[in-house]
Protein backbone atom coordinates (compact mmCIF):
# COMPACT_ATOMS: atom_id res chain seq x y z
CA UNK A 1 0.00 0.00 0.00
CA UNK A 2 2.83 2.43 0.82
CA UNK A 3 4.10 2.52 -2.77
CA UNK A 4 0.65 3.29 -4.15
CA UNK A 5 0.08 5.99 -1.54
CA UNK A 6 3.42 7.62 -2.27
CA UNK A 7 2.64 7.65 -5.98
CA UNK A 8 -0.80 9.21 -5.81
CA UNK A 9 -2.04 9.51 -2.19
CA UNK A 10 -4.76 6.89 -2.75
CA UNK A 11 -4.98 3.46 -1.17
CA UNK A 12 -7.18 0.50 -0.24
CA UNK A 13 -7.58 -1.27 3.11
CA UNK A 14 -9.38 -4.50 3.98
CA UNK A 15 -11.20 -3.34 7.11
CA UNK A 16 -12.76 -6.81 7.49
CA UNK A 17 -10.32 -9.30 5.93
CA UNK A 18 -11.77 -11.19 2.97
CA UNK A 19 -15.13 -9.45 3.51
CA UNK A 20 -15.14 -5.63 3.30
CA UNK A 21 -12.59 -3.14 1.95
CA UNK A 22 -12.44 0.66 1.87
CA UNK A 23 -10.90 2.49 -1.07
CA UNK A 24 -9.74 6.03 -0.34
CA UNK A 25 -9.27 8.20 -3.42
CA UNK A 26 -7.29 11.38 -3.94
CA UNK A 27 -9.75 13.60 -5.80
CA UNK A 28 -7.28 16.37 -6.68
CA UNK A 29 -6.24 14.86 -10.06
CA UNK A 30 -9.87 14.54 -11.18
CA UNK A 31 -11.26 17.85 -9.91
CA UNK A 32 -12.00 20.46 -12.55
CA UNK A 33 -9.59 23.00 -11.06
CA UNK A 34 -6.66 24.73 -12.78
CA UNK A 35 -3.85 22.28 -12.06
CA UNK A 36 -1.41 20.71 -14.49
CA UNK A 37 -3.32 17.58 -15.46
CA UNK A 38 -5.09 16.47 -18.64
CA UNK A 39 -8.47 15.77 -17.06
CA UNK A 40 -8.46 12.02 -17.83
CA UNK A 41 -8.16 12.60 -21.56
CA UNK A 42 -8.49 9.31 -23.44
CA UNK A 43 -5.36 10.11 -25.44
CA UNK A 44 -3.28 10.73 -22.27
CA UNK A 45 -2.89 7.35 -20.50
CA UNK A 46 -0.28 8.74 -18.09
CA UNK A 47 -2.50 11.56 -16.90
CA UNK A 48 -2.67 11.36 -13.05
CA UNK A 49 -6.47 11.10 -13.17
CA UNK A 50 -6.34 8.22 -15.63
CA UNK A 51 -3.65 6.45 -13.61
CA UNK A 52 -5.76 6.66 -10.46
CA UNK A 53 -8.93 5.44 -12.16
CA UNK A 54 -6.96 2.63 -13.83
CA UNK A 55 -5.80 1.63 -10.34
CA UNK A 56 -9.38 1.88 -9.02
CA UNK A 57 -10.57 -0.43 -11.81
CA UNK A 58 -7.92 -3.01 -10.90
CA UNK A 59 -8.89 -2.85 -7.21
CA UNK A 60 -12.60 -3.23 -7.93
CA UNK A 61 -12.00 -6.15 -10.27
CA UNK A 62 -9.84 -7.86 -7.66
CA UNK A 63 -12.40 -7.41 -4.88
CA UNK A 64 -15.19 -8.48 -7.23
CA UNK A 65 -13.33 -11.69 -8.12
CA UNK A 66 -12.88 -12.39 -4.40
CA UNK A 67 -16.59 -11.83 -3.69
CA UNK A 68 -15.88 -8.90 -1.35
CA UNK A 69 -17.75 -5.65 -0.73
CA UNK A 70 -16.22 -2.17 -1.03
CA UNK A 71 -16.87 1.34 0.22
CA UNK A 72 -15.38 4.14 -1.91
CA UNK A 73 -14.52 7.37 -0.12
CA UNK A 74 -12.88 10.63 -1.02
CA UNK A 75 -12.98 14.36 -0.45
CA UNK A 76 -14.69 16.02 -3.44
CA UNK A 77 -17.82 14.12 -4.56
CA UNK A 78 -18.08 12.92 -8.17
CA UNK A 79 -20.40 15.15 -10.18
CA UNK A 80 -20.43 16.92 -13.51
CA UNK A 81 -19.81 20.21 -11.72
CA UNK A 82 -16.91 18.95 -9.61
CA UNK A 83 -14.93 16.62 -11.90
CA UNK A 84 -13.38 16.95 -15.34
CA UNK A 85 -15.94 15.52 -17.81
CA UNK A 86 -13.78 12.56 -18.84
CA UNK A 87 -12.86 11.75 -15.23
CA UNK A 88 -16.52 11.91 -14.26
CA UNK A 89 -17.74 9.49 -16.94
CA UNK A 90 -14.93 7.05 -16.08
CA UNK A 91 -15.98 7.12 -12.43
CA UNK A 92 -19.66 6.64 -13.27
CA UNK A 93 -18.87 3.73 -15.57
CA UNK A 94 -16.90 1.94 -12.85
CA UNK A 95 -19.57 2.70 -10.25
CA UNK A 96 -22.20 1.00 -12.41
CA UNK A 97 -19.98 -1.77 -13.78
CA UNK A 98 -19.09 -2.90 -10.25
CA UNK A 99 -22.46 -2.18 -8.66
CA UNK A 100 -22.56 -5.67 -7.15
CA UNK A 101 -19.28 -4.97 -5.34
CA UNK A 102 -19.61 -1.34 -4.23
CA UNK A 103 -21.65 -0.77 -1.07
CA UNK A 104 -21.66 2.99 -1.45
CA UNK A 105 -19.83 6.24 -2.20
CA UNK A 106 -19.00 8.50 0.78
CA UNK A 107 -17.68 12.04 0.25
CA UNK A 108 -17.37 15.44 1.92
CA UNK A 109 -16.04 18.86 0.79
CA UNK A 110 -19.45 20.43 0.18
CA UNK A 111 -20.17 20.77 3.93
CA UNK A 112 -23.85 20.30 3.06
CA UNK A 113 -25.68 17.10 4.01
CA UNK A 114 -27.27 15.65 0.85
CA UNK A 115 -27.32 12.80 -1.63
CA UNK A 116 -27.47 12.52 -5.39
CA UNK A 117 -27.29 9.85 -8.08
CA UNK A 118 -24.81 8.63 -10.64
CA UNK A 119 -26.84 7.49 -13.64
CA UNK A 120 -26.41 5.42 -16.78
CA UNK A 121 -27.61 8.39 -18.77
CA UNK A 122 -24.44 10.23 -17.71
CA UNK A 123 -22.51 7.91 -20.01
CA UNK A 124 -24.41 8.93 -23.12
CA UNK A 125 -23.35 11.71 -25.50
CA UNK A 126 -25.72 14.61 -25.05
CA UNK A 127 -26.67 16.61 -28.15
CA UNK A 128 -26.45 19.66 -25.89
CA UNK A 129 -23.45 19.29 -23.59
CA UNK A 130 -25.20 21.22 -20.81
CA UNK A 131 -28.43 19.24 -21.04
CA UNK A 132 -29.45 17.89 -17.65
CA UNK A 133 -26.38 19.29 -15.92
CA UNK A 134 -26.70 20.06 -12.23
CA UNK A 135 -24.19 22.41 -10.61
CA UNK A 136 -23.00 20.86 -7.36
CA UNK A 137 -20.19 23.35 -6.84
CA UNK A 138 -22.04 25.93 -4.70
CA UNK A 139 -24.70 26.08 -2.03
CA UNK A 140 -26.77 28.59 -3.96
CA UNK A 141 -29.48 26.69 -5.75
CA UNK A 142 -28.24 23.30 -4.57
CA UNK A 143 -31.50 22.46 -2.81
CA UNK A 144 -33.59 23.28 -5.88
CA UNK A 145 -31.11 21.50 -8.16
CA UNK A 146 -31.45 18.35 -6.08
CA UNK A 147 -35.25 18.51 -6.22
CA UNK A 148 -35.06 18.97 -9.98
CA UNK A 149 -32.83 15.89 -10.21
CA UNK A 150 -35.19 13.85 -8.02
CA UNK A 151 -38.22 14.89 -10.10
CA UNK A 152 -36.45 13.75 -13.28
CA UNK A 153 -36.11 10.16 -12.05
CA UNK A 154 -38.29 7.71 -14.01
CA UNK A 155 -41.40 6.40 -12.25
CA UNK A 156 -40.13 2.84 -12.53
CA UNK A 157 -36.35 3.19 -12.67
CA UNK A 158 -34.00 0.33 -13.47
CA UNK A 159 -32.00 -0.17 -10.28
CA UNK A 160 -28.97 -1.19 -12.36
CA UNK A 161 -28.87 2.30 -13.88
CA UNK A 162 -28.14 4.08 -10.59
CA UNK A 163 -25.63 4.49 -7.79
CA UNK A 164 -26.01 6.92 -4.90
CA UNK A 165 -23.40 9.36 -3.57
CA UNK A 166 -23.72 10.44 0.06
CA UNK A 167 -22.19 13.78 1.01
CA UNK A 168 -21.66 14.29 4.74
CA UNK A 169 -21.91 17.55 6.67
CA UNK A 170 -18.82 19.32 7.91
CA UNK A 171 -16.68 18.21 10.83
CA UNK A 172 -15.03 21.66 10.89
CA UNK A 173 -16.57 24.55 12.88
CA UNK A 174 -16.96 28.17 11.75
CA UNK A 175 -19.23 28.73 10.02
CA UNK A 176 -20.39 25.13 10.14
CA UNK A 177 -21.77 23.00 12.93
CA UNK A 178 -19.60 19.87 13.31
CA UNK A 179 -21.44 16.58 12.77
CA UNK A 180 -20.71 12.90 12.31
CA UNK A 181 -22.56 9.69 11.46
CA UNK A 182 -22.62 6.22 12.97
CA UNK A 183 -23.77 3.48 10.59
CA UNK A 184 -25.24 0.08 11.32
CA UNK A 185 -24.90 -2.95 9.04
CA UNK A 186 -26.54 -6.27 8.43
CA UNK A 187 -24.05 -8.76 9.89
CA UNK A 188 -26.26 -11.81 9.45
CA UNK A 189 -26.32 -14.40 6.71
CA UNK A 190 -29.06 -15.21 4.23
CA UNK A 191 -32.59 -15.15 5.64
CA UNK A 192 -31.48 -13.39 8.82
CA UNK A 193 -29.36 -16.31 10.09
CA UNK A 194 -25.88 -15.70 11.37
CA UNK A 195 -23.20 -16.48 8.79
CA UNK A 196 -20.81 -18.52 10.88
CA UNK A 197 -20.03 -21.60 8.80
CA UNK A 198 -17.09 -21.87 6.43
CA UNK A 199 -19.34 -23.37 3.77
CA UNK A 200 -21.63 -20.35 3.87
CA UNK A 201 -18.75 -17.88 3.65
CA UNK A 202 -17.26 -19.76 0.70
CA UNK A 203 -20.59 -19.58 -1.11
CA UNK A 204 -20.77 -15.83 -0.49
CA UNK A 205 -17.36 -15.31 -2.07
CA UNK A 206 -18.10 -17.00 -5.38
CA UNK A 207 -17.70 -14.49 -8.24
CA UNK A 208 -20.96 -13.32 -9.78
CA UNK A 209 -21.65 -13.64 -13.47
CA UNK A 210 -21.66 -10.22 -15.19
CA UNK A 211 -24.69 -9.00 -17.07
CA UNK A 212 -24.84 -6.33 -19.72
CA UNK A 213 -26.57 -3.17 -18.69
CA UNK A 214 -30.14 -2.58 -19.88
CA UNK A 215 -30.68 -0.02 -22.60
CA UNK A 216 -32.61 2.46 -20.46
CA UNK A 217 -32.22 6.10 -21.47
CA UNK A 218 -33.88 9.29 -20.34
CA UNK A 219 -34.84 11.32 -23.36
CA UNK A 220 -33.31 11.35 -26.84
CA UNK A 221 -29.52 11.11 -26.64
CA UNK A 222 -28.94 10.74 -30.36
CA UNK A 223 -27.17 7.94 -32.22
CA UNK A 224 -24.06 7.16 -30.20
CA UNK A 225 -22.57 4.91 -32.89
CA UNK A 226 -22.68 7.72 -35.44
CA UNK A 227 -21.52 10.35 -32.94
CA UNK A 228 -18.51 8.25 -31.95
CA UNK A 229 -17.30 8.26 -35.55
CA UNK A 230 -17.00 12.04 -35.45
CA UNK A 231 -13.70 13.73 -34.63
CA UNK A 232 -15.32 15.52 -31.70
CA UNK A 233 -16.20 12.35 -29.78
CA UNK A 234 -14.19 9.42 -31.14
CA UNK A 235 -11.34 9.91 -28.65
CA UNK A 236 -13.53 10.34 -25.59
CA UNK A 237 -14.07 7.72 -22.91
CA UNK A 238 -17.79 7.64 -23.69
CA UNK A 239 -16.97 5.92 -26.98
CA UNK A 240 -14.73 3.26 -25.45
CA UNK A 241 -16.83 1.63 -22.73
CA UNK A 242 -17.36 -1.98 -23.76
CA UNK A 243 -17.19 -4.00 -20.53
CA UNK A 244 -20.31 -5.84 -19.24
CA UNK A 245 -21.83 -4.62 -16.00
CA UNK A 246 -21.70 -6.85 -12.93
CA UNK A 247 -25.37 -6.62 -12.05
CA UNK A 248 -26.86 -8.70 -9.25
CA UNK A 249 -30.27 -7.82 -7.75
CA UNK A 250 -29.28 -9.70 -4.58
CA UNK A 251 -26.05 -7.72 -4.05
CA UNK A 252 -25.84 -5.97 -0.63
CA UNK A 253 -26.22 -2.56 -2.26
CA UNK A 254 -29.48 -3.70 -3.89
CA UNK A 255 -31.07 -6.06 -1.35
CA UNK A 256 -30.83 -6.26 2.43
CA UNK A 257 -28.36 -9.04 3.22
CA UNK A 258 -24.95 -9.46 4.82
CA UNK A 259 -23.01 -6.12 4.84
CA UNK A 260 -25.96 -4.07 3.61
CA UNK A 261 -25.88 -0.67 5.36
CA UNK A 262 -29.12 -0.47 7.34
CA UNK A 263 -29.02 3.18 8.30
CA UNK A 264 -27.18 5.78 10.30
CA UNK A 265 -27.64 8.14 13.23
CA UNK A 266 -26.27 11.64 12.72
CA UNK A 267 -25.00 13.59 15.71
CA UNK A 268 -23.94 17.22 15.92
CA UNK A 269 -22.26 19.60 18.37
CA UNK A 270 -24.53 22.64 18.76
CA UNK A 271 -22.43 24.53 21.37
CA UNK A 272 -18.83 23.79 20.52
CA UNK A 273 -17.71 27.16 21.90
CA UNK A 274 -18.61 25.99 25.43
CA UNK A 275 -16.22 23.05 25.30
CA UNK A 276 -12.80 23.20 26.96
CA UNK A 277 -10.11 20.90 28.35
CA UNK A 278 -12.26 19.85 31.30
CA UNK A 279 -15.68 19.76 29.63
CA UNK A 280 -16.08 17.99 26.33
CA UNK A 281 -18.45 19.25 23.63
CA UNK A 282 -22.16 18.54 23.96
CA UNK A 283 -23.26 15.98 21.38
CA UNK A 284 -26.91 15.73 20.32
CA UNK A 285 -28.78 13.48 17.93
CA UNK A 286 -29.83 15.38 14.83
CA UNK A 287 -31.73 12.63 13.01
CA UNK A 288 -31.78 8.96 12.12
CA UNK A 289 -32.57 7.37 8.76
CA UNK A 290 -34.36 4.42 10.41
CA UNK A 291 -38.09 4.00 10.75
CA UNK A 292 -39.16 4.65 14.36
CA UNK A 293 -40.34 1.09 14.92
CA UNK A 294 -36.87 -0.24 14.06
CA UNK A 295 -35.32 1.65 16.96
CA UNK A 296 -36.99 -0.83 19.35
CA UNK A 297 -36.83 -4.23 17.61
CA UNK A 298 -38.94 -7.06 18.95
CA UNK A 299 -37.53 -10.48 19.77
CA UNK A 300 -34.44 -11.95 21.34
CA UNK A 301 -30.95 -12.91 20.27
CA UNK A 302 -28.37 -11.30 18.02
CA UNK A 303 -30.81 -10.97 15.12
CA UNK A 304 -32.60 -8.22 17.09
CA UNK A 305 -29.85 -5.72 17.79
CA UNK A 306 -30.79 -2.12 18.51
CA UNK A 307 -29.42 0.06 15.67
CA UNK A 308 -28.88 2.95 18.11
CA UNK A 309 -28.21 2.36 21.84
CA UNK A 310 -31.32 3.49 23.68
CA UNK A 311 -29.26 5.65 26.07
CA UNK A 312 -28.09 7.73 23.09
CA UNK A 313 -31.64 8.47 21.92
CA UNK A 314 -33.48 11.66 22.91
CA UNK A 315 -36.23 11.20 25.47
CA UNK A 316 -39.10 11.04 22.99
CA UNK A 317 -37.49 8.13 21.12
CA UNK A 318 -36.78 6.01 24.20
CA UNK A 319 -40.42 4.98 24.46
CA UNK A 320 -41.08 1.82 22.38
CA UNK A 321 -44.64 3.00 21.85
CA UNK A 322 -43.70 6.13 19.88
CA UNK A 323 -45.27 5.99 16.41
CA UNK A 324 -43.47 8.90 14.76
CA UNK A 325 -40.86 11.49 15.59
CA UNK A 326 -39.23 14.59 14.15
CA UNK A 327 -35.93 12.79 14.64
CA UNK A 328 -36.93 10.06 12.19
CA UNK A 329 -38.67 11.72 9.23
CA UNK A 330 -37.25 9.47 6.49
CA UNK A 331 -38.36 6.07 7.76
CA UNK A 332 -35.92 4.28 5.45
CA UNK A 333 -36.02 0.50 5.47
CA UNK A 334 -32.27 0.34 4.77
CA UNK A 335 -29.66 2.19 2.71
CA UNK A 336 -29.96 0.16 -0.50
CA UNK A 337 -30.22 2.02 -3.79
CA UNK A 338 -33.97 1.29 -3.92
CA UNK A 339 -34.48 3.01 -0.55
CA UNK A 340 -32.57 6.10 -1.68
CA UNK A 341 -34.60 6.31 -4.89
CA UNK A 342 -37.81 6.02 -2.87
CA UNK A 343 -36.70 8.84 -0.59
CA UNK A 344 -35.85 10.97 -3.62
CA UNK A 345 -39.34 10.30 -4.99
CA UNK A 346 -40.95 11.41 -1.74
CA UNK A 347 -38.87 14.60 -1.69
CA UNK A 348 -39.87 15.28 -5.30
CA UNK A 349 -43.55 15.10 -4.34
CA UNK A 350 -44.87 18.66 -3.89
CA UNK A 351 -47.33 17.35 -1.30
CA UNK A 352 -44.49 16.37 1.03
CA UNK A 353 -43.59 19.89 2.13
CA UNK A 354 -42.89 18.94 5.76
CA UNK A 355 -40.43 16.27 4.71
CA UNK A 356 -38.83 18.66 2.25
CA UNK A 357 -38.46 21.34 4.93
CA UNK A 358 -36.82 18.83 7.28
CA UNK A 359 -34.44 17.70 4.53
CA UNK A 360 -33.39 21.28 3.83
CA UNK A 361 -32.86 21.93 7.54
CA UNK A 362 -30.54 18.93 7.77
CA UNK A 363 -28.67 20.06 4.66
CA UNK A 364 -27.49 23.29 6.25
CA UNK A 365 -27.35 22.13 9.88
CA UNK A 366 -28.13 25.31 11.83
CA UNK A 367 -25.68 27.50 9.97
CA UNK A 368 -26.81 30.61 8.16
CA UNK A 369 -28.50 29.30 5.04
CA UNK A 370 -27.74 30.66 1.60
CA UNK A 371 -30.82 32.53 0.43
CA UNK A 372 -32.01 31.51 -3.01
Amino acid sequence: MSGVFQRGAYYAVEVIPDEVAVISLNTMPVESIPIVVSGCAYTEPNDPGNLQIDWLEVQLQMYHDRGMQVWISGHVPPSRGNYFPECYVRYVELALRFQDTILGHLYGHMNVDHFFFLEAVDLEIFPDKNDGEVDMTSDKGLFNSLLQDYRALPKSPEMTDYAVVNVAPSVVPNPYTPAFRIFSYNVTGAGGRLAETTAHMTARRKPRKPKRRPGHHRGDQGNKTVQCESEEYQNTWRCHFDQPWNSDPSAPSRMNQRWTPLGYAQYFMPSLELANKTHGPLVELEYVTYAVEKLHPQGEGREFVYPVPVKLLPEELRDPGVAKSRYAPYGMEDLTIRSWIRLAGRLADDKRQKLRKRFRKYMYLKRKEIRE
Side-chain angles (χ1 to χ4, degrees), residues 201-346:
M201 294 309 300
T202 301
R204 277 283 294 117
R205 292 174 189 156
K206 289 175 63 177
R208 300 182 178 95
K209 183 178 179 180
K211 299 179 182 178
R212 292 202 173 272
R213 65 183 179 90
H216 170 77
H217 308 288
R218 186 193 304 163
D220 181 13
Q221 309 305 324
N223 188 322
K224 189 170 182 177
T225 301
V226 173
Q227 290 171 315
C228 284
E229 293 177 352
S230 69
E231 184 176 350
E232 182 179 5
Y233 295 113
Q234 62 183 348
N235 284 328
T236 65
W237 280 105
R238 284 181 170 89
C239 295
H240 294 272
F241 294 139
D242 57 3
Q243 296 296 313
W245 285 6
N246 301 295
S247 174
D248 184 351
S250 65
S253 64
R254 296 301 195 263
M255 185 181 76
N256 186 356
Q257 60 156 300
R258 185 171 176 82
W259 302 128
T260 294
L262 300 177
Y264 63 80
Q266 183 158 298
Y267 300 87
F268 71 111
M269 304 174 191
S271 304
L272 193 62
E273 68 279 1
L274 301 179
N276 53 41
K277 292 183 178 180
T278 57
H279 295 85
L282 176 66
V283 176
E284 294 183 11
L285 179 72
E286 186 187 10
Y287 71 91
V288 297
T289 61
Y290 312 97
V292 175
E293 61 269 19
K294 291 194 174 184
L295 297 175
H296 298 275
Q298 303 297 313
E300 299 178 355
R302 290 176 62 189
E303 293 93 338
F304 299 94
V305 177
Y306 287 79
V308 181
V310 175
K311 65 180 180 180
L312 298 181
L313 295 174
E315 195 64 37
E316 72 177 66
L317 285 179
R318 295 182 186 180
D319 180 2
V322 173
K324 61 181 180 178
S325 169
R326 58 193 171 96
Y327 291 102
Y330 297 158
M332 297 178 73
E333 184 176 347
D334 49 42
L335 299 185
T336 59
I337 185 63
R338 186 179 301 278
S339 293
W340 285 112
I341 288 178
R342 285 174 176 169
L343 177 59
R346 291 162 60 202

Side-chain angles (χ1 to χ4, degrees), residues 10-313:
Y10 43 85
Y11 59 94
V13 177
E14 289 190 33
V15 292
I16 303 177
D18 297 323
E19 292 272 0
V20 180
V22 173
I23 294 176
S24 179
L25 298 178
N26 173 10
T27 57
M28 290 187 67
V30 297
E31 295 172 47
S32 53
I33 55 178
I35 56 178
V36 187
V37 293
S38 300
C40 301
Y42 180 75
T43 55
E44 298 289 341
N46 291 323
D47 170 71
N50 276 328
L51 291 176
Q52 179 172 201
I53 297 179
D54 287 344
W55 172 85
L56 175 61
E57 181 178 10
V58 170
Q59 301 306 302
L60 290 172
Q61 185 65 59
M62 176 188 68
Y63 290 128
H64 172 268
D65 291 344
R66 293 173 60 188
M68 292 179 60
Q69 292 296 299
V70 176
W71 284 99
I72 299 181
S73 67
H75 183 60
V76 177
S79 72
R80 289 187 293 273
N82 285 335
Y83 283 16
F84 287 109
E86 296 290 87
C87 298
Y88 176 65
V89 296
R90 287 206 68 187
Y91 188 97
V92 173
E93 193 272 337
L94 288 180
L96 297 178
R97 194 202 314 173
F98 291 98
Q99 58 190 254
D100 67 338
T101 302
I102 300 172
L103 285 170
H105 306 258
L106 306 178
Y107 286 85
H109 178 68
M110 309 292 290
N111 300 315
V112 177
D113 178 357
H114 64 286
F115 69 95
F116 61 93
F117 298 100
L118 307 176
E119 307 181 42
V121 72
D122 293 331
L123 303 178
E124 299 298 331
I125 297 176
F126 288 83
D128 176 0
K129 293 181 181 180
N130 295 318
D131 184 26
E133 194 162 314
V134 176
D135 182 9
M136 293 288 184
T137 59
S138 67
D139 291 342
K140 187 176 182 180
L142 176 58
F143 174 73
N144 289 333
S145 294
L146 289 170
L147 291 184
Q148 180 181 347
D149 235 19
Y150 299 160
R151 291 190 189 102
L153 292 172
K155 291 184 178 181
S156 300
E158 293 279 358
M159 295 297 112
T160 51
D161 279 3
Y162 297 91
V164 66
V165 175
N166 290 109
V167 183
S170 176
V171 294
V172 180
N174 294 327
Y176 309 106
T177 302
F180 60 91
R181 295 171 177 173
I182 299 179
F183 286 77
S184 69
Y185 303 86
N186 183 336
V187 294
T188 64
R193 296 183 298 275
L194 294 175
E196 296 175 336
T197 67
T198 302
H200 174 78
M201 294 309 300
T202 301
R204 277 283 294 117
R205 292 174 189 156
K206 289 175 63 177
R208 300 182 178 95
K209 183 178 179 180
K211 299 179 182 178
R212 292 202 173 272
R213 65 183 179 90
H216 170 77
H217 308 288
R218 186 193 304 163
D220 181 13
Q221 309 305 324
N223 188 322
K224 189 170 182 177
T225 301
V226 173
Q227 290 171 315
C228 284
E229 293 177 352
S230 69
E231 184 176 350
E232 182 179 5
Y233 295 113
Q234 62 183 348
N235 284 328
T236 65
W237 280 105
R238 284 181 170 89
C239 295
H240 294 272
F241 294 139
D242 57 3
Q243 296 296 313
W245 285 6
N246 301 295
S247 174
D248 184 351
S250 65
S253 64
R254 296 301 195 263
M255 185 181 76
N256 186 356
Q257 60 156 300
R258 185 171 176 82
W259 302 128
T260 294
L262 300 177
Y264 63 80
Q266 183 158 298
Y267 300 87
F268 71 111
M269 304 174 191
S271 304
L272 193 62
E273 68 279 1
L274 301 179
N276 53 41
K277 292 183 178 180
T278 57
H279 295 85
L282 176 66
V283 176
E284 294 183 11
L285 179 72
E286 186 187 10
Y287 71 91
V288 297
T289 61
Y290 312 97
V292 175
E293 61 269 19
K294 291 194 174 184
L295 297 175
H296 298 275
Q298 303 297 313
E300 299 178 355
R302 290 176 62 189
E303 293 93 338
F304 299 94
V305 177
Y306 287 79
V308 181
V310 175
K311 65 180 180 180
L312 298 181
L313 295 174

Side-chain angles (χ1 to χ4, degrees), residues 354-367:
K354 288 185 178 180
L355 178 66
R356 212 180 266 182
K357 183 177 180 181
R358 181 67 58 178
F359 176 72
R360 183 183 174 90
K361 179 180 179 180
Y362 295 153
M363 284 180 65
Y364 297 104
L365 191 55
K366 290 197 171 183
R367 71 185 176 90

